[in-house]
Amino acid sequence: QVQLMESGGDLVQPGGSLRLSCEASGFALDYYAIAWFRQVPGKEREGLLCISGNTATTYLASVKGRFTISRNNRRKMVYLQMNSLQPEDTAKYYCATQTACQDGAPFLSWGQGTQVTVSS
């Protein structure tokens, strides 16, 4: 059973940084593409980045150069490093499985999410 658990969300000031973690269990992480997306209540889900093997793909232009995705298959972890955070980055962040890193491809499974709030 695919299980994903996000952590690391927090309240941070504009310009600050956070690293989110995604712990995977119940499946072989090595064989899956893992993406991060975010959602604000009442708004569309936004795909952010995806990693397949060691190749990262950025879905959302506004995070390019600020957010970085990485993975450690041995530890069954995927990370989202977020720098230069802005109030518009405030959202609940989720990691999710995808069959491949393709913008618009469905997210198959995701966790409960972790809240990121950027405010002074």
Side-chain angles (χ1 to χ4, degrees):
Q1 181 182 359
V2 172
Q3 289 191 321
L4 298 164
M5 185 169 66
E6 304 88 345
S7 62
D10 205 345
L11 170 64
V12 62
Q13 291 189 341
S17 297
L18 277 178
R19 188 175 84 152
L20 305 184
S21 298
C22 171
E23 183 177 359
S25 61
F27 68 105
L29 180 64
D30 316 45
Y31 299 109
Y32 281 78
I34 302 294
W36 284 91
F37 68 87
R38 66 189 182 190
Q39 191 157 26
V40 175
K43 291 192 174 181
E44 290 286 322
R45 180 184 295 174
E46 288 186 312
L48 304 174
L49 300 98
C50 179
I51 188 164
S52 177
N54 289 318
T55 300
T57 302
T58 301
Y59 292 154
L60 187 65
S62 65
V63 306
K64 194 166 188 177
R66 300 191 298 126
F67 291 11
T68 305
I69 190 170
S70 61
R71 68 195 292 166
N72 184 323
N73 288 337
R74 184 175 60 84
R75 294 185 177 181
K76 304 199 81 172
M77 298 292 292
V78 179
Y79 304 99
L80 181 67
Q81 177 67 42
M82 306 187 294
N83 300 326
S84 303
L85 284 161
Q86 300 301 320
E88 52 266 32
D89 295 316
T90 296
K92 199 162 192 179
Y93 284 70
Y94 301 82
C95 60
T97 56
Q98 288 190 288
T99 52
C101 288
Q102 293 177 346
D103 195 5
F107 300 117
L108 305 175
S109 299
W110 54 90
Q112 297 293 316
T114 187
Q115 178 67 36
V116 172
T117 302
V118 185
S119 175
S120 55

